[in-house]
Amino acid sequence: MAQTIPMYPYATGKSETPILDELVRKYGFSNISWPIALIEEDRTIAYLYEMNAKNKINLLMDSRPGSRSKLPSYYLNFMSNPRFIFPRAEFLAPLIQGQYSCSYEAILESSHYSTVDLDYVWYRGSSFRGFELTTFYMEFTSHDRARTLISQIRKRPSWQGPEGAHAFHKIVDSAQDLGVEYYVVCANTTSKVGSDLKTDGNVCLFPLNHEQVALLQAGKAPNDTRFMKFQEFLAWL
């Protein structure tokens, strides 16, 4: 599976301040994580948790979901000097070389691995919840309008080509393996380029599973959508 190149500089691995601030306030920084599934020949072989200049969510010791299939997890620190991987894993050493600011840059130059990441995952005291954040510049003026715009997501470059929605299916697989109750959160942005969220706008969210991905790939709106103000979404977290 070819790795998708971001369409703007912070398309990958950047946490959005309004969301992160609310998660930290409710659950504490150590209960928030950002898992990355490392894929080799279409098979997930490990989960990575990294800290880099764009995203400092992951801590060396935090509350992370465990793999039900017993896959290993590794912590990569791009901010320390020297950089390090814990526990030590020689096969991952090329990812933290000095020319890379994050593992994604190394993956882009390699045809050996690909990755998908779960944007936000947090521990709620007895279970894990998470979501994939997808942004839209065209305003969600109503629930019906939001569902119509979401149904067109397959037209995006990341959904094109023979792999189609392959990455989203991999995200579902990872969330299920990690025991995370996972959603897609669709929110408006303040401009066409970039990901600054429209905090006085609306949000549409829905649970993510393979059936939902199939609906989106067919150009249909997902099931079980919920429509709310952005501030109501923060309360939902």
Side-chain angles (χ1 to χ4, degrees):
M1 179 178 69
Q3 192 73 29
T4 302
I5 299 174
M7 300 305 292
Y8 50 90
Y10 295 113
T12 301
K14 173 180 175 288
S15 58
E16 301 301 331
T17 300
I19 296 173
L20 182 58
D21 284 352
E22 185 65 8
L23 287 173
V24 170
R25 186 188 71 81
K26 284 186 174 181
Y27 305 101
F29 205 87
S30 64
N31 285 319
I32 307 164
S33 62
W34 167 47
I36 303 170
L38 183 66
I39 300 164
E40 181 181 39
E41 296 181 352
D42 207 37
R43 181 176 62 91
T44 300
I45 61 170
Y47 295 102
L48 308 181
Y49 294 83
E50 72 177 62
M51 180 183 288
N52 59 54
K54 295 178 185 176
N55 198 325
K56 300 180 178 64
I57 288 179
N58 292 325
L59 302 176
L60 178 58
M61 301 300 293
D62 55 19
S63 299
R64 303 176 197 161
S67 168
R68 294 174 173 177
S69 61
K70 308 301 182 184
L71 293 176
S73 65
Y74 300 94
Y75 180 78
L76 285 65
N77 193 324
F78 288 83
M79 302 297 293
S80 64
N81 188 14
R83 299 172 174 186
F84 70 88
I85 301 170
F86 181 82
R88 187 171 178 175
E90 292 299 327
F91 80 100
L92 294 177
L95 273 62
I96 61 167
Q97 297 304 307
Q99 68 267 36
Y100 304 123
S101 64
C102 62
S103 64
Y104 192 82
E105 291 181 359
I107 297 297
L108 282 176
E109 292 190 5
S110 168
S111 59
H112 190 69
Y113 298 119
S114 62
T115 59
V116 295
D117 59 325
L118 279 62
D119 289 348
Y120 299 88
V121 171
W122 64 96
Y123 184 57
R124 307 173 68 203
S126 59
S127 62
F128 287 91
R129 175 180 279 182
F131 65 84
E132 193 75 11
L133 178 64
T134 300
T135 56
F136 294 76
Y137 174 61
M138 297 184 70
E139 193 170 352
F140 292 166
T141 53
S142 68
H143 195 172
D144 285 343
R145 177 62 171 161
R147 286 173 53 83
T148 296
L149 291 171
I150 292 167
S151 71
Q152 298 172 13
I153 197 171
R154 67 173 181 170
K155 297 179 181 178
R156 295 187 173 189
S158 59
W159 286 65
Q160 302 305 305
E163 296 292 350
H166 188 78
F168 255 63
H169 282 296
K170 283 293 185 183
I171 290 170
V172 172
D173 289 339
S174 297
Q176 292 177 347
D177 182 43
L178 293 171
V180 178
E181 177 190 338
Y182 209 66
Y183 294 81
V184 173
V185 171
C186 302
N188 285 143
T189 56
T190 58
S191 62
K192 289 184 178 180
V193 178
S195 59
D196 290 341
L197 299 175
K198 185 177 175 61
T199 56
D200 60 350
N202 295 315
V203 169
C204 190
L205 64 86
F206 54 91
L208 183 63
N209 52 48
H210 290 299
E211 291 75 16
Q212 299 276 54
V213 178
L215 286 172
L216 293 171
Q217 193 168 19
K220 300 178 181 179
N223 293 322
D224 303 321
T225 55
R226 296 176 60 184
F227 186 73
M228 61 193 72
K229 297 290 187 183
F230 188 88
Q231 296 305 314
E232 293 175 315
F233 156 67
L234 292 182
W236 171 87
L237 293 173

